[in-house]
Amino acid sequence: MNNIDRKLEELGIINVNTAFHSLGEKIVIGVDKAQGNIISILEDDDLFLSNKIEKILKMFNNYNIGYYHNSYVHIDTKQRILGYPIKLNKPLLLIQQRDKQKYVDKLIFKYYSIYNNSSISIDKSIIIKNKNHIKNFTYALDIFLFYAGIASDKGIYFDTEVLTKQRIHKLNSKVRDDNFESWLLKMRDRLKISIKEFTLISEFLKEQNISSKFVNFMISDRKICLARLLNECSSKENLGIKDILNYIDFHRKSIRDILQLLLIFAPKKFRLDAAKRWYETEVSL
């Protein structure tokens, strides 16, 4: 037992060591051991503000909600605030299913308000019901939990109060490597996992009769990013006309992004040069 494990035990915290790889699998294990009915996720490099737990209990007790998302701010490794808080202009409570469907894309495209696992609190029953889905997610877990909240028979609440600090650093913000070839392999793997996870979300939404342009766009966008790299794709990762149309529809106001699309038709040398510029941009940030 190391010092961290010992300290957690002293504080009455259950510490579970697991060989599972996906974040979703680890969360399901934690939820199975949790005794309460409200689950708040905290990733190890993020911070809760001191009044967060009190606020969460108040919101779940006052409203029939199953999913709660508070606003958050980015910080660096020295806890200095970066930029502005990620938040809505006013709190949003959606109880009726028709209202949740109405906002399903607006909450993402307009407000960018569903991201960050450490800003999510969710009814334990929603995780238990969807645990076989949740086990498959790492990169898009926060997005799946949002849709699981939409699909539930409980309300969802988006709070304007900043209650989480999300730490931004080299390991969690970009695919980084000192070697271009190694970076290329890692980027391919991340894009393939992203395509797989968004495809799983799409299948889940079809089962729930929920439509989302955002999920369709993300699948198409990740496929196009993958096609821009020098890569062999499986049949599930191959681009189709529908993917290209989804991408153009979303980026129709951005000439730069449309030009990026043309790279998928470029000769190998041009795609290699573009990939190297992408890599240089990543490592310089």
Side-chain angles (χ1 to χ4, degrees), residues 245-262:
L245 294 177
N246 283 340
Y247 184 91
I248 293 173
D249 179 59
F250 184 78
H251 289 298
R252 59 184 180 276
K253 295 182 180 180
S254 172
I255 296 175
R256 180 179 178 276
D257 287 318
I258 297 299
L259 291 175
Q260 292 282 357
L261 172 63
L262 297 179

mmCIF file with all atom_site columns, all heavy atoms in Angstrom, residues 245-262:
data_model
loop_
_atom_site.group_PDB
_atom_site.id
_atom_site.type_symbol
_atom_site.label_atom_id
_atom_site.label_alt_id
_atom_site.label_comp_id
_atom_site.label_asym_id
_atom_site.label_entity_id
_atom_site.label_seq_id
_atom_site.pdbx_PDB_ins_code
_atom_site.Cartn_x
_atom_site.Cartn_y
_atom_site.Cartn_z
_atom_site.occupancy
_atom_site.B_iso_or_equiv
_atom_site.pdbx_formal_charge
_atom_site.auth_seq_id
_atom_site.auth_comp_id
_atom_site.auth_asym_id
_atom_site.auth_atom_id
_atom_site.pdbx_PDB_model_num
ATOM 1   N N   . LEU A 1 245 ? -20.960 14.534 -47.371 1.00 0.00 ? 245 LEU A N   1
ATOM 2   C CA  . LEU A 1 245 ? -22.067 15.491 -47.345 1.00 0.00 ? 245 LEU A CA  1
ATOM 3   C C   . LEU A 1 245 ? -22.305 16.015 -45.930 1.00 0.00 ? 245 LEU A C   1
ATOM 4   O O   . LEU A 1 245 ? -22.588 17.210 -45.739 1.00 0.00 ? 245 LEU A O   1
ATOM 5   C CB  . LEU A 1 245 ? -23.334 14.848 -47.902 1.00 0.00 ? 245 LEU A CB  1
ATOM 6   C CG  . LEU A 1 245 ? -23.303 14.487 -49.395 1.00 0.00 ? 245 LEU A CG  1
ATOM 7   C CD1 . LEU A 1 245 ? -24.591 13.778 -49.798 1.00 0.00 ? 245 LEU A CD1 1
ATOM 8   C CD2 . LEU A 1 245 ? -23.089 15.738 -50.246 1.00 0.00 ? 245 LEU A CD2 1
ATOM 9   N N   . ASN A 1 246 ? -22.206 15.137 -44.920 1.00 0.00 ? 246 ASN A N   1
ATOM 10  C CA  . ASN A 1 246 ? -22.347 15.577 -43.530 1.00 0.00 ? 246 ASN A CA  1
ATOM 11  C C   . ASN A 1 246 ? -21.289 16.609 -43.174 1.00 0.00 ? 246 ASN A C   1
ATOM 12  O O   . ASN A 1 246 ? -21.566 17.627 -42.522 1.00 0.00 ? 246 ASN A O   1
ATOM 13  C CB  . ASN A 1 246 ? -22.213 14.382 -42.572 1.00 0.00 ? 246 ASN A CB  1
ATOM 14  C CG  . ASN A 1 246 ? -23.447 13.520 -42.507 1.00 0.00 ? 246 ASN A CG  1
ATOM 15  O OD1 . ASN A 1 246 ? -24.536 13.951 -42.858 1.00 0.00 ? 246 ASN A OD1 1
ATOM 16  N ND2 . ASN A 1 246 ? -23.284 12.291 -42.062 1.00 0.00 ? 246 ASN A ND2 1
ATOM 17  N N   . TYR A 1 247 ? -20.065 16.346 -43.610 1.00 0.00 ? 247 TYR A N   1
ATOM 18  C CA  . TYR A 1 247 ? -18.943 17.242 -43.318 1.00 0.00 ? 247 TYR A CA  1
ATOM 19  C C   . TYR A 1 247 ? -19.141 18.594 -43.998 1.00 0.00 ? 247 TYR A C   1
ATOM 20  O O   . TYR A 1 247 ? -18.961 19.650 -43.379 1.00 0.00 ? 247 TYR A O   1
ATOM 21  C CB  . TYR A 1 247 ? -17.645 16.586 -43.788 1.00 0.00 ? 247 TYR A CB  1
ATOM 22  C CG  . TYR A 1 247 ? -16.394 17.371 -43.470 1.00 0.00 ? 247 TYR A CG  1
ATOM 23  C CD1 . TYR A 1 247 ? -15.709 17.160 -42.276 1.00 0.00 ? 247 TYR A CD1 1
ATOM 24  C CD2 . TYR A 1 247 ? -15.893 18.319 -44.363 1.00 0.00 ? 247 TYR A CD2 1
ATOM 25  C CE1 . TYR A 1 247 ? -14.548 17.867 -41.985 1.00 0.00 ? 247 TYR A CE1 1
ATOM 26  C CE2 . TYR A 1 247 ? -14.735 19.031 -44.077 1.00 0.00 ? 247 TYR A CE2 1
ATOM 27  C CZ  . TYR A 1 247 ? -14.071 18.800 -42.886 1.00 0.00 ? 247 TYR A CZ  1
ATOM 28  O OH  . TYR A 1 247 ? -12.924 19.509 -42.592 1.00 0.00 ? 247 TYR A OH  1
ATOM 29  N N   . ILE A 1 248 ? -19.506 18.574 -45.258 1.00 0.00 ? 248 ILE A N   1
ATOM 30  C CA  . ILE A 1 248 ? -19.715 19.818 -46.000 1.00 0.00 ? 248 ILE A CA  1
ATOM 31  C C   . ILE A 1 248 ? -20.861 20.624 -45.401 1.00 0.00 ? 248 ILE A C   1
ATOM 32  O O   . ILE A 1 248 ? -20.773 21.849 -45.257 1.00 0.00 ? 248 ILE A O   1
ATOM 33  C CB  . ILE A 1 248 ? -19.989 19.525 -47.487 1.00 0.00 ? 248 ILE A CB  1
ATOM 34  C CG1 . ILE A 1 248 ? -18.718 18.948 -48.144 1.00 0.00 ? 248 ILE A CG1 1
ATOM 35  C CG2 . ILE A 1 248 ? -20.445 20.785 -48.229 1.00 0.00 ? 248 ILE A CG2 1
ATOM 36  C CD1 . ILE A 1 248 ? -18.935 18.477 -49.569 1.00 0.00 ? 248 ILE A CD1 1
ATOM 37  N N   . ASP A 1 249 ? -21.936 19.946 -45.021 1.00 0.00 ? 249 ASP A N   1
ATOM 38  C CA  . ASP A 1 249 ? -23.084 20.631 -44.437 1.00 0.00 ? 249 ASP A CA  1
ATOM 39  C C   . ASP A 1 249 ? -22.695 21.351 -43.147 1.00 0.00 ? 249 ASP A C   1
ATOM 40  O O   . ASP A 1 249 ? -23.114 22.493 -42.906 1.00 0.00 ? 249 ASP A O   1
ATOM 41  C CB  . ASP A 1 249 ? -24.199 19.625 -44.153 1.00 0.00 ? 249 ASP A CB  1
ATOM 42  C CG  . ASP A 1 249 ? -25.421 20.279 -43.518 1.00 0.00 ? 249 ASP A CG  1
ATOM 43  O OD1 . ASP A 1 249 ? -25.989 21.195 -44.146 1.00 0.00 ? 249 ASP A OD1 1
ATOM 44  O OD2 . ASP A 1 249 ? -25.807 19.877 -42.415 1.00 0.00 ? 249 ASP A OD2 1
ATOM 45  N N   . PHE A 1 250 ? -21.870 20.707 -42.332 1.00 0.00 ? 250 PHE A N   1
ATOM 46  C CA  . PHE A 1 250 ? -21.474 21.310 -41.057 1.00 0.00 ? 250 PHE A CA  1
ATOM 47  C C   . PHE A 1 250 ? -20.476 22.446 -41.258 1.00 0.00 ? 250 PHE A C   1
ATOM 48  O O   . PHE A 1 250 ? -20.533 23.471 -40.568 1.00 0.00 ? 250 PHE A O   1
ATOM 49  C CB  . PHE A 1 250 ? -20.873 20.250 -40.138 1.00 0.00 ? 250 PHE A CB  1
ATOM 50  C CG  . PHE A 1 250 ? -20.516 20.769 -38.774 1.00 0.00 ? 250 PHE A CG  1
ATOM 51  C CD1 . PHE A 1 250 ? -21.508 20.958 -37.814 1.00 0.00 ? 250 PHE A CD1 1
ATOM 52  C CD2 . PHE A 1 250 ? -19.209 21.077 -38.437 1.00 0.00 ? 250 PHE A CD2 1
ATOM 53  C CE1 . PHE A 1 250 ? -21.195 21.442 -36.558 1.00 0.00 ? 250 PHE A CE1 1
ATOM 54  C CE2 . PHE A 1 250 ? -18.880 21.565 -37.184 1.00 0.00 ? 250 PHE A CE2 1
ATOM 55  C CZ  . PHE A 1 250 ? -19.872 21.751 -36.240 1.00 0.00 ? 250 PHE A CZ  1
ATOM 56  N N   . HIS A 1 251 ? -19.566 22.285 -42.219 1.00 0.00 ? 251 HIS A N   1
ATOM 57  C CA  . HIS A 1 251 ? -18.486 23.264 -42.422 1.00 0.00 ? 251 HIS A CA  1
ATOM 58  C C   . HIS A 1 251 ? -18.741 24.187 -43.613 1.00 0.00 ? 251 HIS A C   1
ATOM 59  O O   . HIS A 1 251 ? -17.795 24.798 -44.116 1.00 0.00 ? 251 HIS A O   1
ATOM 60  C CB  . HIS A 1 251 ? -17.157 22.533 -42.634 1.00 0.00 ? 251 HIS A CB  1
ATOM 61  C CG  . HIS A 1 251 ? -16.610 21.877 -41.403 1.00 0.00 ? 251 HIS A CG  1
ATOM 62  N ND1 . HIS A 1 251 ? -16.261 22.571 -40.263 1.00 0.00 ? 251 HIS A ND1 1
ATOM 63  C CD2 . HIS A 1 251 ? -16.369 20.572 -41.124 1.00 0.00 ? 251 HIS A CD2 1
ATOM 64  C CE1 . HIS A 1 251 ? -15.805 21.740 -39.351 1.00 0.00 ? 251 HIS A CE1 1
ATOM 65  N NE2 . HIS A 1 251 ? -15.860 20.518 -39.842 1.00 0.00 ? 251 HIS A NE2 1
ATOM 66  N N   . ARG A 1 252 ? -19.993 24.303 -44.035 1.00 0.00 ? 252 ARG A N   1
ATOM 67  C CA  . ARG A 1 252 ? -20.273 25.034 -45.271 1.00 0.00 ? 252 ARG A CA  1
ATOM 68  C C   . ARG A 1 252 ? -19.860 26.504 -45.221 1.00 0.00 ? 252 ARG A C   1
ATOM 69  O O   . ARG A 1 252 ? -19.670 27.122 -46.271 1.00 0.00 ? 252 ARG A O   1
ATOM 70  C CB  . ARG A 1 252 ? -21.761 24.934 -45.623 1.00 0.00 ? 252 ARG A CB  1
ATOM 71  C CG  . ARG A 1 252 ? -22.722 25.458 -44.587 1.00 0.00 ? 252 ARG A CG  1
ATOM 72  C CD  . ARG A 1 252 ? -24.173 25.205 -45.016 1.00 0.00 ? 252 ARG A CD  1
ATOM 73  N NE  . ARG A 1 252 ? -25.144 25.683 -44.049 1.00 0.00 ? 252 ARG A NE  1
ATOM 74  C CZ  . ARG A 1 252 ? -25.546 25.008 -42.996 1.00 0.00 ? 252 ARG A CZ  1
ATOM 75  N NH1 . ARG A 1 252 ? -25.048 23.794 -42.774 1.00 0.00 ? 252 ARG A NH1 1
ATOM 76  N NH2 . ARG A 1 252 ? -26.438 25.519 -42.158 1.00 0.00 ? 252 ARG A NH2 1
ATOM 77  N N   . LYS A 1 253 ? -19.687 27.053 -44.026 1.00 0.00 ? 253 LYS A N   1
ATOM 78  C CA  . LYS A 1 253 ? -19.284 28.453 -43.899 1.00 0.00 ? 253 LYS A CA  1
ATOM 79  C C   . LYS A 1 253 ? -17.776 28.621 -43.730 1.00 0.00 ? 253 LYS A C   1
ATOM 80  O O   . LYS A 1 253 ? -17.290 29.744 -43.594 1.00 0.00 ? 253 LYS A O   1
ATOM 81  C CB  . LYS A 1 253 ? -20.008 29.098 -42.719 1.00 0.00 ? 253 LYS A CB  1
ATOM 82  C CG  . LYS A 1 253 ? -21.513 29.192 -42.900 1.00 0.00 ? 253 LYS A CG  1
ATOM 83  C CD  . LYS A 1 253 ? -22.160 29.885 -41.708 1.00 0.00 ? 253 LYS A CD  1
ATOM 84  C CE  . LYS A 1 253 ? -23.675 29.978 -41.894 1.00 0.00 ? 253 LYS A CE  1
ATOM 85  N NZ  . LYS A 1 253 ? -24.323 30.646 -40.732 1.00 0.00 ? 253 LYS A NZ  1
ATOM 86  N N   . SER A 1 254 ? -17.039 27.522 -43.742 1.00 0.00 ? 254 SER A N   1
ATOM 87  C CA  . SER A 1 254 ? -15.589 27.585 -43.518 1.00 0.00 ? 254 SER A CA  1
ATOM 88  C C   . SER A 1 254 ? -14.839 27.069 -44.743 1.00 0.00 ? 254 SER A C   1
ATOM 89  O O   . SER A 1 254 ? -14.786 25.856 -44.986 1.00 0.00 ? 254 SER A O   1
ATOM 90  C CB  . SER A 1 254 ? -15.213 26.758 -42.285 1.00 0.00 ? 254 SER A CB  1
ATOM 91  O OG  . SER A 1 254 ? -13.806 26.660 -42.152 1.00 0.00 ? 254 SER A OG  1
ATOM 92  N N   . ILE A 1 255 ? -14.272 27.980 -45.498 1.00 0.00 ? 255 ILE A N   1
ATOM 93  C CA  . ILE A 1 255 ? -13.495 27.586 -46.679 1.00 0.00 ? 255 ILE A CA  1
ATOM 94  C C   . ILE A 1 255 ? -12.284 26.746 -46.273 1.00 0.00 ? 255 ILE A C   1
ATOM 95  O O   . ILE A 1 255 ? -11.929 25.770 -46.948 1.00 0.00 ? 255 ILE A O   1
ATOM 96  C CB  . ILE A 1 255 ? -13.036 28.841 -47.456 1.00 0.00 ? 255 ILE A CB  1
ATOM 97  C CG1 . ILE A 1 255 ? -14.256 29.590 -47.996 1.00 0.00 ? 255 ILE A CG1 1
ATOM 98  C CG2 . ILE A 1 255 ? -12.089 28.464 -48.589 1.00 0.00 ? 255 ILE A CG2 1
ATOM 99  C CD1 . ILE A 1 255 ? -13.924 30.894 -48.674 1.00 0.00 ? 255 ILE A CD1 1
ATOM 100 N N   . ARG A 1 256 ? -11.655 27.094 -45.150 1.00 0.00 ? 256 ARG A N   1
ATOM 101 C CA  . ARG A 1 256 ? -10.476 26.361 -44.696 1.00 0.00 ? 256 ARG A CA  1
ATOM 102 C C   . ARG A 1 256 ? -10.808 24.892 -44.444 1.00 0.00 ? 256 ARG A C   1
ATOM 103 O O   . ARG A 1 256 ? -10.061 23.995 -44.848 1.00 0.00 ? 256 ARG A O   1
ATOM 104 C CB  . ARG A 1 256 ? -9.938  27.000 -43.412 1.00 0.00 ? 256 ARG A CB  1
ATOM 105 C CG  . ARG A 1 256 ? -8.695  26.313 -42.849 1.00 0.00 ? 256 ARG A CG  1
ATOM 106 C CD  . ARG A 1 256 ? -8.219  27.016 -41.586 1.00 0.00 ? 256 ARG A CD  1
ATOM 107 N NE  . ARG A 1 256 ? -7.066  26.344 -41.033 1.00 0.00 ? 256 ARG A NE  1
ATOM 108 C CZ  . ARG A 1 256 ? -7.121  25.276 -40.227 1.00 0.00 ? 256 ARG A CZ  1
ATOM 109 N NH1 . ARG A 1 256 ? -8.299  24.764 -39.911 1.00 0.00 ? 256 ARG A NH1 1
ATOM 110 N NH2 . ARG A 1 256 ? -6.004  24.737 -39.759 1.00 0.00 ? 256 ARG A NH2 1
ATOM 111 N N   . ASP A 1 257 ? -11.941 24.633 -43.790 1.00 0.00 ? 257 ASP A N   1
ATOM 112 C CA  . ASP A 1 257 ? -12.315 23.248 -43.491 1.00 0.00 ? 257 ASP A CA  1
ATOM 113 C C   . ASP A 1 257 ? -12.708 22.483 -44.749 1.00 0.00 ? 257 ASP A C   1
ATOM 114 O O   . ASP A 1 257 ? -12.447 21.279 -44.864 1.00 0.00 ? 257 ASP A O   1
ATOM 115 C CB  . ASP A 1 257 ? -13.463 23.221 -42.486 1.00 0.00 ? 257 ASP A CB  1
ATOM 116 C CG  . ASP A 1 257 ? -13.015 23.608 -41.082 1.00 0.00 ? 257 ASP A CG  1
ATOM 117 O OD1 . ASP A 1 257 ? -11.936 23.155 -40.671 1.00 0.00 ? 257 ASP A OD1 1
ATOM 118 O OD2 . ASP A 1 257 ? -13.729 24.363 -40.418 1.00 0.00 ? 257 ASP A OD2 1
ATOM 119 N N   . ILE A 1 258 ? -13.318 23.166 -45.706 1.00 0.00 ? 258 ILE A N   1
ATOM 120 C CA  . ILE A 1 258 ? -13.656 22.518 -46.974 1.00 0.00 ? 258 ILE A CA  1
ATOM 121 C C   . ILE A 1 258 ? -12.384 22.134 -47.717 1.00 0.00 ? 258 ILE A C   1
ATOM 122 O O   . ILE A 1 258 ? -12.291 21.048 -48.311 1.00 0.00 ? 258 ILE A O   1
ATOM 123 C CB  . ILE A 1 258 ? -14.525 23.443 -47.854 1.00 0.00 ? 258 ILE A CB  1
ATOM 124 C CG1 . ILE A 1 258 ? -15.864 23.722 -47.156 1.00 0.00 ? 258 ILE A CG1 1
ATOM 125 C CG2 . ILE A 1 258 ? -14.764 22.809 -49.211 1.00 0.00 ? 258 ILE A CG2 1
ATOM 126 C CD1 . ILE A 1 258 ? -16.707 22.505 -46.879 1.00 0.00 ? 258 ILE A CD1 1
ATOM 127 N N   . LEU A 1 259 ? -11.360 23.008 -47.654 1.00 0.00 ? 259 LEU A N   1
ATOM 128 C CA  . LEU A 1 259 ? -10.081 22.698 -48.295 1.00 0.00 ? 259 LEU A CA  1
ATOM 129 C C   . LEU A 1 259 ? -9.408  21.505 -47.616 1.00 0.00 ? 259 LEU A C   1
ATOM 130 O O   . LEU A 1 259 ? -8.746  20.692 -48.269 1.00 0.00 ? 259 LEU A O   1
ATOM 131 C CB  . LEU A 1 259 ? -9.165  23.921 -48.250 1.00 0.00 ? 259 LEU A CB  1
ATOM 132 C CG  . LEU A 1 259 ? -9.592  25.100 -49.138 1.00 0.00 ? 259 LEU A CG  1
ATOM 133 C CD1 . LEU A 1 259 ? -8.667  26.295 -48.909 1.00 0.00 ? 259 LEU A CD1 1
ATOM 134 C CD2 . LEU A 1 259 ? -9.574  24.700 -50.617 1.00 0.00 ? 259 LEU A CD2 1
ATOM 135 N N   . GLN A 1 260 ? -9.600  21.389 -46.296 1.00 0.00 ? 260 GLN A N   1
ATOM 136 C CA  . GLN A 1 260 ? -9.058  20.232 -45.584 1.00 0.00 ? 260 GLN A CA  1
ATOM 137 C C   . GLN A 1 260 ? -9.667  18.935 -46.109 1.00 0.00 ? 260 GLN A C   1
ATOM 138 O O   . GLN A 1 260 ? -9.004  17.904 -46.197 1.00 0.00 ? 260 GLN A O   1
ATOM 139 C CB  . GLN A 1 260 ? -9.347  20.364 -44.080 1.00 0.00 ? 260 GLN A CB  1
ATOM 140 C CG  . GLN A 1 260 ? -8.599  21.482 -43.379 1.00 0.00 ? 260 GLN A CG  1
ATOM 141 C CD  . GLN A 1 260 ? -7.144  21.133 -43.093 1.00 0.00 ? 260 GLN A CD  1
ATOM 142 O OE1 . GLN A 1 260 ? -6.687  20.025 -43.371 1.00 0.00 ? 260 GLN A OE1 1
ATOM 143 N NE2 . GLN A 1 260 ? -6.419  22.072 -42.545 1.00 0.00 ? 260 GLN A NE2 1
ATOM 144 N N   . LEU A 1 261 ? -10.937 19.002 -46.476 1.00 0.00 ? 261 LEU A N   1
ATOM 145 C CA  . LEU A 1 261 ? -11.624 17.831 -47.025 1.00 0.00 ? 261 LEU A CA  1
ATOM 146 C C   . LEU A 1 261 ? -10.949 17.349 -48.305 1.00 0.00 ? 261 LEU A C   1
ATOM 147 O O   . LEU A 1 261 ? -10.843 16.144 -48.564 1.00 0.00 ? 261 LEU A O   1
ATOM 148 C CB  . LEU A 1 261 ? -13.086 18.172 -47.299 1.00 0.00 ? 261 LEU A CB  1
ATOM 149 C CG  . LEU A 1 261 ? -13.924 17.119 -48.048 1.00 0.00 ? 261 LEU A CG  1
ATOM 150 C CD1 . LEU A 1 261 ? -14.023 15.838 -47.229 1.00 0.00 ? 261 LEU A CD1 1
ATOM 151 C CD2 . LEU A 1 261 ? -15.308 17.667 -48.352 1.00 0.00 ? 261 LEU A CD2 1
ATOM 152 N N   . LEU A 1 262 ? -10.470 18.289 -49.122 1.00 0.00 ? 262 LEU A N   1
ATOM 153 C CA  . LEU A 1 262 ? -9.867  17.938 -50.409 1.00 0.00 ? 262 LEU A CA  1
ATOM 154 C C   . LEU A 1 262 ? -8.598  17.100 -50.238 1.00 0.00 ? 262 LEU A C   1
ATOM 155 O O   . LEU A 1 262 ? -8.189  16.409 -51.177 1.00 0.00 ? 262 LEU A O   1
ATOM 156 C CB  . LEU A 1 262 ? -9.545  19.205 -51.207 1.00 0.00 ? 262 LEU A CB  1
ATOM 157 C CG  . LEU A 1 262 ? -10.757 20.074 -51.591 1.00 0.00 ? 262 LEU A CG  1
ATOM 158 C CD1 . LEU A 1 262 ? -10.304 21.313 -52.355 1.00 0.00 ? 262 LEU A CD1 1
ATOM 159 C CD2 . LEU A 1 262 ? -11.758 19.274 -52.428 1.00 0.00 ? 262 LEU A CD2 1
#
